[in-house]
Every structure is written in structure tokens, then in C-alpha cells.
Amino acid sequence: NAGVMQNPRHLVRRRGQEARLRCSPMKGHSHVYWYRQLPEEGLKFMVYLQKENIIDESGMPKERFSAEFPKEGPSILRIQQVVRGDSAAYFCASSPPGLAGVAEQFFGPGTRLTVL
Amino acid sequence: ILNVEQSPQSLHVQEGDSTNFTCSFPSSNFYALHWYRWETAKSPEALFVMTLNGDEKKKGRISATLNTKEGYSYLYIKGSQPEDSATYLCAFRTNTGNQFYFGTGTSLTVIP
């Protein structure tokens, strides 16, 4: 059973470009969380999704950021018109169906985004 | 924004020593507390999910306790080994939302 996969592992973008980060949850998992780790800071919650639904996006910046988790395929975190301050490590985690919050989360290896 | 604090920030111990560290969180609206172990160049790995006041969980030489009324959890490592060297994170969730609030972690180095 493969773990949580994220790609790309490293992404370099110039200011103003778009960044698309992908997360394939573990088989059988229907909950996905996205977190951001800014340099010298801890993990910060961004968004929580279930298949085809955004459950909680309270941690996501209001502009330029969006997330989806379609019925088929990976979850996507999309950052439009990237700025230098978006440079960070982005982690996703998945958990199995059931009571959200009490299930273990399994983390992917992260995508390191660098904005030039 | 809720505050989750971990102490100490870093810790160096000799192989064989036992150690413990603390995660402090708001005592109101508690729902769950998660502990993770994060080795350098790897992903955070779940250790424990704790939900009930007085919970005590154990996995090998690592154990954790939970006090929701006063808002803290302890993580204990008995007989530390070099392979225990990692950052230990806690994450708190309230019963009023889906957001997890992470502490900044305790970095443990076990010296052989």
C-alpha cells in the first residue's frame, strides 16, 4: 500500500506564474488536509477536503489560493500569480473515512515551492 | 488563532536517558490531540491520537498522557536511543472546527 504521494517534490516558479501541487492520498482514504510550512515556522493548516467537497478552508489565503479533491484523481492545491512570500514547503496528509479529527493523518513528503 | 506551545524547543540527552516534553493547548473546546514524530528529510509520522482526559497511550518506549482540563499533554521516551532523534510535534483540534493547530515542536537529539 503506497503512502501519500506528492508531486512535484520541488517546484520553482517566477513571480506571477501559477503553481499546481498534487497530492495522491493513501488507498482508501477520502480525507485530505493541506498544510504550509513557511521558513522557520511550524506547520499551518490551510484546507480540509473530502471527495468533491471543501469542508474547511479557513486557513487558506482568500486570494490566489484554491484547492480541490475531485472524484477521480489527486487533490490539487493551486496558487495563482505566485509571490515570493509563497515560497514554503506544502504538505498534504490523508486519513481514512470516519470521524474527522480522531483518525491518524498520514503525511506526504511535501512539495518545496521556490518563487524567484 | 489558538496557541499550541511545546517545550522545551530542543533537547540533547545521552543514549539510555529517559526524557519527556510538554505540549500545552487551550483547555476549552477540546476535541483531539495528535502527536507526531518528524525525522529530518522524512514526513511527519503519527504516534498517538488522544481524545479523553486521563488518556495514556504507549508504543514501545514512547508513551503519552493527556490532561484536557488543564490543557497539557506529556510525551515520554524511556531509555532514549539515537534513532529517537527527531522533532516531536503535537497538534490540537477543537470541537468547533476542523482546523489542526500545530506546535513548533521539540527537537530531540540523542547522543550515543
Side-chain angles (χ1 to χ4, degrees):
Chain A
N1 188 7
V4 177
M5 315 258 294
Q6 287 189 249
N7 67 80
R9 295 289 304 275
H10 300 274
L11 183 61
V12 178
R13 284 288 176 265
R14 296 194 180 279
R15 279 178 298 168
Q17 291 184 318
E18 179 180 288
R20 276 182 181 244
L21 287 61
R22 292 174 189 78
C23 169
S24 297
M26 284 181 73
K27 190 175 179 182
H29 286 193
S30 56
H31 299 193
V32 166
Y33 296 81
W34 283 94
Y35 298 93
R36 177 165 68 172
Q37 185 184 30
L38 292 167
E40 308 301 321
E41 294 189 17
L43 287 170
K44 294 283 194 287
F45 168 86
M46 298 182 77
V47 61
Y48 164 48
L49 309 107
Q50 293 179 16
K51 281 281 185 182
E52 299 186 274
N53 287 304
I54 297 173
I55 306 301
D56 187 334
E57 57 182 350
S58 58
M60 198 114 89
K62 294 283 185 271
E63 295 177 354
R64 302 188 297 107
F65 285 72
S66 62
E68 62 177 12
F69 188 15
K71 188 177 179 182
E72 301 290 338
S75 175
I76 307 280
L77 180 68
R78 184 179 174 211
I79 312 172
Q80 294 178 287
Q81 298 173 327
V82 295
V83 301
R84 289 223 174 99
D86 297 332
S87 295
Y90 293 83
F91 291 89
C92 80
S94 72
S95 63
L99 277 178
V102 296
E104 282 186 358
Q105 292 184 33
F106 294 80
F107 278 78
T111 294
R112 268 80 179 165
L113 173 65
T114 302
V115 180
L116 301 178
Chain B
I1 296 177
L2 300 180
N3 216 22
V4 177
E5 294 186 357
Q6 291 189 246
S7 63
Q9 193 171 7
S10 66
L11 197 51
H12 289 72
V13 301
Q14 291 291 137
E15 182 175 353
D17 285 352
S18 293
T19 187
N20 67 84
F21 21 92
T22 307
C23 172
S24 301
F25 50 85
S27 55
S28 57
N29 301 318
F30 177 85
Y31 187 73
L33 186 87
H34 293 221
W35 278 101
Y36 293 88
R37 170 195 156 87
W38 195 356
E39 288 181 74
T40 303
K42 294 189 178 180
S43 313
E45 173 197 344
L47 287 173
F48 304 113
V49 178
M50 310 185 81
T51 56
L52 296 174
N53 185 43
D55 250 356
E56 185 167 339
K57 298 217 170 175
K58 190 175 179 183
K59 190 182 281 191
R61 293 179 292 99
I62 305 178
S63 60
T65 61
L66 179 68
N67 184 324
T68 61
K69 295 192 185 310
E70 295 181 43
Y72 64 83
S73 175
Y74 292 142
L75 191 80
Y76 300 90
I77 303 179
K78 187 177 176 182
S80 303
Q81 299 297 308
E83 57 266 29
D84 295 330
S85 297
T87 295
Y88 291 83
L89 293 174
C90 65
F92 165 75
R93 214 202 92 160
T94 69
N95 58 14
T96 58
N98 298 286
Q99 192 170 146
F100 278 88
Y101 298 89
F102 278 80
T104 50
T106 292
S107 173
L108 174 68
T109 303
V110 181
I111 303 160

